[in-house]
Amino acid sequence: MAGPVEYAVDMSGFTIVEMVTEAELLCQQQSFHEALGLATQCVNRIEEELGKESLRLIDPYIVIGLANAGLGMLTRSEKILAVANFVLVKHPDAPAETKSKLYRALGAMYTAREKYPEALRILADDVYHSSIAYGPESSRTAGGYYLMADVFDKYGDTDTSTALRNKVAQIWRKSLSVVVEASRAGEEDAPTLQPLEIAAAQNQLIGLIGNYADLELTENEGQASVLLSILYYAIGEIDLMREYVTRASEKLPAGGKLLQDANYLLDIVQ
């Protein structure tokens, strides 16, 4: 499979897992051309080393499918993800995490193609398998709820979409609380967020803030802004942290615990 753009960095010394992870991160960061080039390298390498029916092909196929969707090439995206699904069918014992990842990509593509019933069905399968692999309250599962909310928006069901977005916010609040707790405890080896987790959190929280603002859900918007500020603290983006603490303070009552946590972290970096 020929890629439209050659990835500029020589990845020949990296493992397949490292190459796929980098391609996924590029796609999350909306560097779609670079993601396509690297994912294509992954496909070529996997086919050469493991064969054309290897389960390992699914991950780079997903990146290629999502990157094509990001570039507006939805028909090609659907074809590529169909190939990934064909590989999955040949591996009925594939792990739940692989099934979840593919179903989520298919759900995003179906939503973009306005195939909303198919999107909801496949995203429900995503959440089911992600819950098996990671748990229903895991940040890994939050992405499925997040995409389902977008579909319910298309149906005009804002009650359900808002409930799903609140679920996403609740999950990230739990995941990011470890950052505040570690800081309060003075832990030097605090848990760190992985690059893909950071990208997912940033994309979802920014999306939540925008959706809540559109619906004039002021307190929800403020809470999501606090969570984003905590994320930026965790990755050392202090100027952005300050910006979102300021935004949150305009939306939330001063005595709320979540805002107090953000202000506590802000005091540390002053």
Side-chain angles (χ1 to χ4, degrees):
M1 181 182 300
V5 174
E6 184 176 349
Y7 187 58
V9 178
D10 180 11
M11 300 290 288
S12 58
F14 290 79
T15 66
I16 290 171
V17 171
E18 290 170 335
M19 291 175 70
V20 170
T21 299
E22 178 67 14
E24 290 174 339
L25 184 58
L26 287 166
C27 199
Q28 285 265 27
Q29 296 170 339
Q30 300 185 17
S31 297
F32 297 125
H33 288 292
E34 292 84 353
L36 275 174
L38 182 53
T40 300
Q41 287 186 38
C42 294
V43 168
N44 293 338
R45 181 170 169 183
I46 292 168
E47 287 181 344
E48 181 180 335
E49 296 181 10
L50 302 174
K52 295 187 176 182
E53 295 184 359
S54 171
L55 185 64
R56 300 284 289 277
L57 284 167
I58 291 177
D59 283 346
Y61 277 147
I62 290 171
V63 175
I64 293 172
L66 290 175
N68 273 290
L71 293 169
M73 296 184 285
L74 297 179
T75 300
R76 179 164 177 76
S77 172
E78 187 166 9
K79 289 179 179 178
I80 293 294
L81 293 176
V83 173
N85 198 42
F86 180 74
V87 174
L88 182 63
V89 168
K90 293 190 174 186
H91 296 271
D93 296 328
E97 61 191 85
T98 300
K99 294 177 180 178
S100 167
K101 189 182 289 188
L102 177 56
Y103 296 156
R104 188 168 302 176
L106 284 165
M109 181 273 299
Y110 285 141
T111 302
R113 300 216 70 181
E114 301 183 359
K115 297 181 177 182
Y116 302 132
E118 294 93 332
L120 279 182
R121 175 185 56 79
I122 206 75
L123 287 170
D125 287 341
D126 157 32
V127 169
Y128 172 76
H129 286 94
S130 184
S131 296
I132 291 173
Y134 307 111
E137 304 297 319
S138 169
S139 60
R140 301 282 190 98
T141 307
Y145 300 128
Y146 182 81
L147 291 177
M148 289 180 76
D150 287 341
V151 181
F152 280 106
D153 273 344
K154 302 300 183 182
Y155 283 117
D157 187 349
T158 56
D159 287 344
T160 302
S161 64
T162 299
L164 286 165
R165 291 192 175 100
N166 291 345
K167 178 74 171 177
V168 173
Q170 177 188 29
I171 289 172
W172 283 115
R173 180 171 183 170
K174 182 179 178 182
S175 296
L176 292 169
S177 66
V178 299
V179 174
V180 180
E181 292 167 3
S183 182
R184 287 188 186 278
E187 296 178 15
E188 294 183 0
D189 296 325
T192 56
L193 301 173
Q194 298 303 308
L196 283 173
E197 189 178 13
I198 292 167
Q202 183 174 5
N203 290 340
Q204 290 170 32
L205 290 172
I206 289 174
L208 291 183
I209 291 168
N211 289 122
Y212 288 144
D214 289 343
L215 293 172
E216 298 183 351
L217 297 172
T218 302
E219 187 166 347
N220 302 59
E221 181 188 350
Q223 290 172 352
S225 296
V226 171
L227 295 175
L228 188 56
S229 75
I230 294 172
L231 174 69
Y232 284 135
Y233 169 84
I235 63 176
E237 294 284 355
I238 304 305
D239 287 342
L240 286 170
M241 177 204 175
R242 291 192 181 100
E243 175 185 338
Y244 280 94
V245 172
T246 300
R247 288 192 189 188
S249 66
E250 297 169 353
K251 309 290 182 182
L252 295 174
K257 182 181 184 307
L258 197 56
L259 187 55
Q260 287 179 346
D261 286 343
N263 282 321
Y264 168 78
L265 296 176
L266 190 57
D267 288 341
I268 292 175
V269 298
Q270 294 290 18

